Amino acid sequence: MADSTFAPLVLAVDLGTSGCKCALVTLHGEVQGWAFRPVALHVQGVQAEQDPLDWWQALLGAADELLAANADLRHRVVAVCCSTQTEVTVCLGNDGLPIGRAFSWLDARGAEAIARRTRGRWLNIEGYGPLKLLRWLRLTGGAPSATGRDAAGHMAYVRDHMPDVYERTHRFLNALDYLNFRLCGRLCATQDSILTSWVTDNRDPAHVRYDASLIRLLGLDAEKLPEIVQSTDVLGPLLPDVAQRLGLSPDTPVVAGAVDTSAVAVSAAVSDFETHLYLGTSSWLGAHVPTMRTDVRHKIAAVPCAVRHRYLALALQSTAGANLSFLRDRILFHPDELASDEEHPAVYEVLNRIAARVPPGSRGLIYTPWLFGERTPVDDPLLRAGLINLSLEHSREDIFRAFLEGVALNTRWMMEPFARLLGRSTGTMAAVGGGAQSDVWCQILADVTGQPIRQLAQPIQANAIGAAFLAAIGIGQLKLEDLPELRRTRRLYEPAAALSRLYADKFETFKEIRYRLAPLYHRLNRVAPVGVSA
């Protein structure tokens, strides 16, 4: 590896649900520094929001920590590129300011509003009118989520229940689009950030464009939607005041970037059919494929992504690492007792060591990781988490390992329809995200799924590395075919053959628990959506 001491750098921005991370990354994907600032998530019932102004302040704070004291680093920055959480909706006013808080990808207020737009008059398939569903699948490869948690649901809710906000909205933007607007002043969306508005014709992944009939189905005004660009497009230079604030050259280009799923795929596994597993607050399986394909029943689709001539097949799990945060913050400790860094909490390292001492199978304890419902392979917002078979013989150690195994069992549940969509076994899966730092969890995932797990170097930086690669391609310093050579592996975890029967039995029990408890969860949790004014 060449000396990177004086190498050009990308200021890569990674905005997740928990906060904003800024990293300085070489054009070859080496992270030379990073900083993190938390961002509050405001949850009340089915409502979940974040303040876009908090995103921006977190970005500036993290960038200041990286750049303020080192003029040499500032001079080496040759581009800025963002990767962000997706299915987030900002209502941007004519004055360039957000109208209230943004809808989070966890916000389900739009379920009723989107149902009115997707249902047929007489016959429905999976909650969709057959002709409507056929049109969405043919043009987009997917369809609006019945949960109302995507951009289509958010916009439908604003249109129906917040008419004043709708009228004042100049553009509906995803989180990525908003940060790009703040950085360079351009109002646009990438082909992947606009995806879950479900108003685009995606049949040519190199030329995603709006479809007037889909816009009419959602009852939206086309002029409230931003122009569509490619992830590697240079949007323009930094705005003068932003460049001055960051201490960067005013000529520094802003590359369009990608939403988190696309950026991770660029850094983790860019070759066709090569599968990666992201373990963050939420989780997903992903793989690039050459054609658009959809599994309606299991809510899996191959959709436009950051790679210009490819689609990204995705299976999404609502909560993964969020289960561990919940255990840490709500059960084991009070937040006031935790003084460690948000992204490197020492308590996780201790809990991982504890889990390693518990025998596989958690002594019969099973955890279902559905704290906020589930998306794949069942799109059911009313499922809930639970510990099954808990007895006086169990300890905290058993519970923590059961949490890790529960997410792994859910991953195996997703893998079944995902492999069918790919038309082949997932094979070795590259593991990235904060959870992939855990040796214990990577081994559990290998044992439970029966597939080797490739733990990448710097897995928590996958989004930032993907953004840096997109920036390098955008400014002409890399080509897509260069990326496989730049990926670095830390360790490979092979599944233990001796545990195959144990986890096969436990997996069948896991699925039976969902089947038997789903009617009860539906009865307990079916409540009317909460309307909240702007």
Side-chain angles (χ1 to χ4, degrees):
M1 187 71 67
D3 182 13
S4 59
T5 305
F6 303 104
L9 299 171
V10 174
L11 176 60
V13 178
D14 172 13
L15 175 67
T17 309
S18 61
C20 186
K21 184 192 307 153
C22 286
L24 293 173
V25 189
T26 71
L27 301 181
H28 287 176
E30 298 173 70
V31 179
Q32 297 204 341
W34 64 278
F36 175 82
R37 293 292 184 277
V39 174
L41 175 67
H42 307 275
V43 179
Q44 180 181 358
V46 296
Q47 174 182 333
E49 299 177 326
Q50 289 189 310
D51 191 334
L53 300 180
D54 289 346
W55 297 339
W56 182 244
Q57 289 306 312
L59 185 158
L60 294 177
D64 280 347
E65 183 176 332
L66 281 175
L67 299 168
N70 194 326
D72 173 64
L73 289 177
R74 294 198 299 272
H75 294 153
R76 290 165 56 195
V77 173
V78 296
V80 179
C81 189
C82 298
S83 162
T84 72
Q85 57 182 312
T86 188
E87 298 187 324
V88 175
T89 305
V90 178
C91 300
L92 192 76
N94 281 306
D95 56 2
L97 296 175
I99 305 171
R101 293 172 178 161
F103 287 70
S104 165
W105 58 273
L106 292 165
D107 194 302
R109 280 177 286 174
E112 181 184 358
I114 203 65
R116 286 200 296 272
R117 289 159 168 82
T118 58
R119 283 196 301 255
R121 180 171 296 181
W122 308 110
L123 177 67
N124 287 282
I125 301 173
E126 297 284 329
Y128 300 87
L131 294 180
K132 293 179 181 179
L133 180 60
L134 181 63
R135 180 182 299 176
W136 262 305
L137 293 178
R138 182 174 63 86
L139 295 177
T140 73
S145 171
T147 66
R149 291 180 184 173
D150 56 16
H154 300 160
M155 292 187 293
Y157 180 85
V158 173
R159 175 77 178 194
D160 292 357
H161 299 284
M162 305 168 73
D164 177 61
V165 171
Y166 183 83
E167 289 303 318
R168 290 190 289 134
T169 296
H170 178 54
R171 292 288 189 277
F172 288 106
L173 301 178
N174 205 328
L176 175 67
D177 316 331
Y178 176 76
L179 290 188
N180 281 333
F181 171 67
R182 293 298 304 264
L183 288 166
C184 70
R186 188 165 170 183
L187 282 170
C188 60
T190 58
Q191 70 277 22
D192 58 340
S193 74
I194 198 63
L195 171 67
T196 59
S197 298
W198 302 114
V199 290
T200 54
D201 183 339
N202 302 329
R203 289 174 292 180
D204 179 358
H207 184 52
V208 172
R209 60 190 185 276
Y210 288 114
D211 181 85
S213 67
L214 297 180
I215 294 173
R216 286 195 299 271
L217 267 180
L218 289 186
L220 301 175
D221 295 295
E223 62 269 19
K224 294 185 182 293
L225 302 170
E227 68 166 318
I228 302 173
V229 300
Q230 293 285 327
S231 289
T232 52
D233 285 353
V234 175
L235 302 182
L238 288 170
L239 290 170
D241 61 327
V242 175
Q244 183 178 19
R245 175 68 174 74
L246 296 176
L248 300 178
S249 166
D251 298 324
T252 304
V254 177
V255 179
V259 300
D260 49 11
T261 49
S262 292
V264 165
V266 167
S267 69
V270 75
S271 301
D272 282 357
F273 302 107
E274 189 177 7
T275 300
H276 67 274
L277 170 65
Y278 181 85
L279 288 167
T281 302
S282 59
S283 176
W284 62 80
L285 290 166
H288 289 106
V289 295
T291 57
M292 189 168 71
R293 51 188 77 178
T294 307
D295 179 345
V296 176
R297 181 184 175 191
H298 297 104
K299 307 302 184 289
I300 304 174
V303 292
C305 59
V307 179
R308 189 179 182 93
H309 296 287
R310 288 293 181 268
Y311 295 93
L312 181 62
L314 287 170
L316 301 169
Q317 178 176 338
S318 288
T319 52
N323 289 279
L324 308 188
S325 301
F326 177 85
L327 179 64
R328 184 194 71 162
D329 298 339
R330 302 289 186 91
I331 307 298
L332 298 180
F333 300 96
H334 188 277
D336 293 342
E337 298 172 331
L338 298 171
S340 51
D341 188 300
E342 178 79 11
E343 291 286 46
H344 287 297
V347 68
Y348 284 144
E349 299 172 12
V350 174
L351 292 173
N352 272 284
R353 290 197 297 270
I354 291 172
R357 299 199 296 262
V358 177
S362 304
R363 297 197 295 164
L365 193 58
I366 294 180
Y367 177 68
T368 59
W370 308 316
L371 284 173
F372 214 80
E374 195 45 275
R375 305 181 68 168
T376 306
V378 295
D379 195 6
D380 189 345
L382 302 181
L383 291 179
R384 289 296 179 264
L387 280 166
I388 310 299
N389 204 33
L390 183 65
S391 75
L392 286 172
E393 295 181 0
H394 289 115
S395 65
R396 289 189 302 177
E397 289 84 352
D398 298 310
I399 292 172
F400 185 66
R401 185 178 181 99
F403 269 59
L404 298 179
E405 289 185 343
V407 175
L409 288 164
N410 210 81
T411 300
R412 179 168 173 169
W413 196 29
M414 291 195 297
M415 281 174 55
E416 291 184 334
F418 187 74
R420 288 195 295 270
L421 186 83
L422 296 184
R424 64 196 69 196
S425 167
T426 59
T428 300
M429 297 187 291
V432 289
Q437 298 177 108
S438 167
D439 296 336
V440 174
W441 208 359
C442 284
Q443 187 61 58
I444 287 174
L445 283 158
D447 293 337
V448 170
T449 65
Q451 301 295 334
I453 298 293
R454 185 189 306 277
Q455 182 188 49
L456 297 190
Q458 298 178 301
I460 199 172
Q461 311 294 358
N463 297 62
I465 293 170
F469 285 159
L470 291 173
I473 294 170
I475 62 176
Q477 296 301 306
L478 278 182
K479 296 180 180 178
L480 188 69
E481 50 266 31
D482 298 328
L483 301 188
E485 294 281 333
L486 299 176
R487 187 180 66 179
R488 297 187 298 280
T489 299
R490 178 177 175 269
R491 184 175 170 185
L492 184 67
Y493 299 82
E494 295 283 356
L499 298 177
S500 174
R501 179 62 180 273
L502 168 70
Y503 282 123
D505 290 345
K506 195 161 189 177
F507 178 56
E508 292 305 315
T509 303
F510 180 86
K511 291 190 291 183
E512 184 178 356
I513 288 170
R514 197 283 305 185
Y515 177 78
R516 290 179 178 272
L517 291 186
L520 177 61
Y521 286 135
H522 284 206
R523 179 165 60 85
L524 290 173
N525 299 319
R526 192 172 297 283
V527 295
V530 178
V532 180
S533 60

